[in-house]
Amino acid sequence: MKIALIAESGLRAFDQELTRLGMTLPGFMERSRVIASLPSGAMQKLHRKNLARATLLLAASYERSHRLDKALSVYQLGIKLYPNDIPLLAGLAELYHASHLEEQAQPLYNKILAAEPKNTTAHLGLASINHTLGLLDKSAQHYEEALEQLKDNAAIWRDYAEVLYAQREYKTAELAIERSLALSPQILDSNLDLAFIQRAQGRLPDALATLEKVLALTGNQIEILSAYSLWLLEAGNPAQAMVQAELILKNAPADPLGRWIRGRLHLASGRSDLAAKDFAVAAAFDPDSFVAKSAATILKQLKIK
């Protein structure tokens, strides 16, 4: 989680048949090159199932070399020849999904689930798409189905927790994120998710302590420092909030949120002249952003006074 909550597991293929084919092994690309070099006559002599697998490997090899137009053409041809082949359907669905073509990906994932109700690739793809569309109940259901088979995958537990967070199911979200952290304690996004979930439950001291752990993992990452400074301000600790704001601005002097935070702190201590300077910088950085609009409003009020 990078301040905003972002799902990651929806684009991962977990199809067991693909794994058996060796798509995750070092020899994958070499096999793909051999298949791509076969003359058309040799391809035609392959057994039907082998030809489907050869088509899959060829399409995937184009993906790996970032020739997505070629990959798309091969997948589409393969599905015309083998319309019910699950690995080919999954490969094309994942390509569409990775290209943000959810309307094309979704019916393919649904077709896979009609044939294989427990297919994890399809469940994860639909979980991610539904999360993006704001269909949180459906997204959670697909994550739950996937986790029945992939219960030891920390990334999926994290993505599931983020959907629960969006649903405001904070206690369940915390259980899910704790499961993710139990599997992979040092994952930055899971620790950051935990901090936001704790804060959402009104446990600000716990959230601050968790953010301190995140900062220990990342160093002085500006986005996390900004959250930490804001939460210190919220907790009624202006002195420490100022320390963090100064640290942000030491690394990025024009950072609008850092300027906004320091401006608020200057304003609270009666130094309106210093506050006005910070708000002026924040307002000019990106006029359409929330921070800039807020800074501009405060600056206007200061000028009226």
Side-chain angles (χ1 to χ4, degrees):
M1 171 176 174
K2 300 176 181 177
I3 305 306
L5 295 166
I6 302 173
E8 296 177 357
S9 62
L11 302 182
R12 299 186 182 92
F14 290 100
D15 190 278
Q16 293 180 355
E17 187 165 7
L18 298 187
T19 302
R20 287 198 299 271
L21 282 167
M23 287 183 68
T24 60
L25 300 177
F28 165 75
M29 287 299 292
E30 184 59 34
R31 288 192 296 276
S32 300
R33 291 191 191 100
V34 171
I35 291 166
S37 68
L38 288 174
S40 59
M43 290 286 284
Q44 291 172 359
K45 291 178 182 178
L46 289 171
H47 185 274
R48 180 182 177 88
K49 184 175 181 179
N50 291 337
L51 183 55
R53 296 301 168 267
T55 303
L56 176 67
L57 287 169
L58 179 58
S61 74
Y62 283 134
E63 280 193 82
R64 294 289 181 93
S65 59
H66 306 290
R67 300 168 68 184
L68 300 184
D69 55 338
K70 290 278 191 181
L72 179 61
S73 297
V74 173
Y75 276 129
Q76 289 174 334
L77 176 61
I79 288 174
K80 283 183 180 179
L81 295 171
Y82 312 106
N84 298 314
D85 187 88
I86 298 300
L88 282 172
L89 289 168
L92 181 56
E94 294 284 270
L95 178 57
Y96 280 141
H97 188 21
S99 303
H100 306 290
L101 297 171
E102 279 78 11
E103 289 185 1
Q104 286 84 354
Q106 193 164 7
L108 293 173
Y109 286 133
N110 285 329
K111 184 173 182 178
I112 292 168
L113 289 182
E116 293 184 1
K118 297 294 185 181
N119 187 284
T120 53
T121 299
H123 278 300
L124 289 172
L126 289 171
S128 177
I129 290 171
N130 284 315
H131 190 182
T132 301
L133 296 175
L135 302 174
L136 301 178
D137 289 343
K138 290 184 177 181
S139 179
Q141 289 170 7
H142 284 296
Y143 277 125
E144 288 162 7
E145 289 285 350
L147 283 166
E148 287 185 7
Q149 300 177 66
L150 301 168
K151 59 182 181 295
D152 294 329
N153 189 293
I156 300 173
W157 280 107
R158 183 181 70 245
D159 290 345
Y160 177 47
E162 291 177 354
V163 172
L164 294 168
Y165 174 91
Q167 290 180 297
R168 300 187 178 185
E169 297 284 347
Y170 299 130
K171 290 184 178 180
T172 311
E174 186 168 6
L175 292 173
I177 207 63
E178 285 176 347
R179 181 64 182 272
S180 176
L181 287 166
L183 292 165
S184 296
Q186 299 302 312
I187 291 182
L188 167 63
D189 286 349
S190 294
N191 282 281
L192 191 55
D193 282 357
L194 176 60
F196 274 80
I197 291 167
Q198 290 168 332
R199 178 174 175 267
Q201 295 178 82
R203 293 158 47 200
L204 194 52
D206 290 339
L208 286 166
T210 301
L211 268 192
E212 289 168 6
K213 292 179 183 178
V214 173
L215 285 168
L217 291 172
T218 64
N220 296 328
Q221 187 172 318
I222 288 176
E223 286 185 344
I224 301 172
L225 279 173
S226 298
Y228 189 47
S229 184
L230 281 169
W231 294 3
L232 285 167
L233 185 61
E234 182 182 342
N237 192 341
Q240 282 301 312
M242 179 64 85
V243 170
Q244 301 305 318
E246 294 287 6
L247 189 54
I248 293 166
L249 295 172
K250 180 181 177 181
N251 291 295
D255 182 78
L257 186 53
R259 289 279 188 163
W260 186 92
I261 295 168
R262 193 172 70 176
R264 283 291 304 271
L265 290 164
H266 282 321
L267 197 58
S269 63
R271 292 176 287 182
S272 57
D273 54 334
L274 294 177
K277 290 179 181 178
D278 279 331
F279 287 130
V281 174
F285 190 82
D286 180 4
D288 292 328
S289 70
F290 174 79
V291 172
K293 289 178 179 178
S294 174
T297 299
I298 297 171
L299 192 59
K300 187 181 295 184
Q301 292 171 347
L302 287 174
K303 288 179 179 179
I304 292 172
K305 292 180 180 179

